[in-house]
Amino acid sequence: MRTIIDGRAIAEKVYTELRGEIADLKSRGLTPGLAVVLVGDNPASRAYVRAKDKMCRELGLHSVKLELPATTKQEELLARVDKLNHDPAVHGVLVQSPPPPHIDEVAIIRALDPRKDVDGFHPLNVAKLAMGDNSGFVPCTPLGCLRLLRETNVSLSGANIVVLGRSMIVGKPMALLLMQKGVDATVTVVHSRTRNIGEVCRRADVIIAAIGQPHFVKADQVREGAVVIDVGINRVDDAGSERGYRLVGDVDFDSVVKKAGAITPVPGGVGPMTIAMLMANTVKACRMLNIL
Ligand code: NDP
């Protein structure tokens, strides 16, 4: 039997756990707070920021949504981040990516208080992940993928896992997380210079695709029974849809679903988990900042 991994249902499970933790924090007089800073008016970024704000409200978290014009200067943004770093009602801060081209994103990430860096992009948190130090923050999308695998009871110890993509947001932290002691997978990372990608993928017990190429992974690259996690969110033209486009993953779902033992759909797979893990990281930040 093939399993379609239901990211929405697993995210709901995470929210149920979080509601308990949030109630506990509130009983101690603490409300976890998340600040999301959006510079400019990229429609996709705007939609993500709206979704994060909505989820904070649903969970009863303190939510700060800061929308700044695309002309905002680097110094102004740094000053805003500094203010949020020092705001005791805010435990998590993120600046929605990508900022406009004149903004130095790396400098902004470095300016975040690493204890409030709930996206897990600050160098200190990257180092903690590499070192297996659980006091840091792990980027939300790979954390969500790991939770999906755990909830699906996929055996990871000693498994051959192929991660497609090596970005700092998904591929690289995903690989670090999977090779950690306690997870114990054998990880291969594929990127644009990798030779014989099909052959590499066919050896995998688990494939995690995060390359931003619609329908890149085809059935002939997947071993019968392998588990496939599709991180990709790509717009493809669709004259039949009201919006004129639809969202598809990096995996050719219709063909791969016939071979995979378990697979995530797009939408409804990894996407909902990313936001759930952001909420979980915010609650963790609140606990840690208050040493609970
Ligand atoms: P990036 O563009 O930052 O990285 C893409 C990676 O894929 C790079 O490492 C690149 O290799 C590699 N790559 C690109 N094309 C190929 C190819 N033809 N063959 C092999 N490797 C290739 O993307 P992100 O990591 O930010 O995002 C990846 C996808 O995941 C996107 O579709 C994005 O929308 C989605 N995403 C979804 C999220 C969610 O919540 N579900 C969250 C974040 C991202 P190289 O390094 O050599 O250039």
Side-chain angles (χ1 to χ4, degrees), residues 85-135:
N85 279 345
H86 290 95
D87 183 342
V90 168
H91 307 98
V93 180
L94 71 87
V95 179
Q96 185 63 45
S97 184
H102 68 277
I103 297 287
D104 178 352
E105 191 173 11
V106 173
I108 300 297
I109 289 168
R110 282 175 181 269
L112 289 170
D113 181 337
R115 297 170 306 165
K116 294 191 177 187
D117 167 40
V118 283
D119 260 345
F121 297 160
H122 188 283
L124 186 70
N125 286 315
V126 177
K128 283 186 174 181
L129 173 59
M131 295 165 79
D133 175 345
N134 293 331
S135 72

Side-chain angles (χ1 to χ4, degrees), residues 48 140-142 145 164-172 189-194 197 209-214 216 230-235 248-250 266 269-275:
Y48 290 137
C140 303
T141 301
C145 293
L164 291 112
R166 57 174 167 181
S167 74
M168 290 306 294
I169 297 174
V170 192
K172 224 176 259 180
V189 179
V190 165
H191 47 76
S192 64
R193 302 299 170 94
T194 302
I197 293 180
I211 58 174
Q213 305 286 333
F216 182 88
D230 190 354
V231 180
I233 303 179
N234 310 292
R235 277 186 185 197
V248 302
D250 290 346
V266 176
V270 174
M273 291 304 289
T274 297
I275 278 209

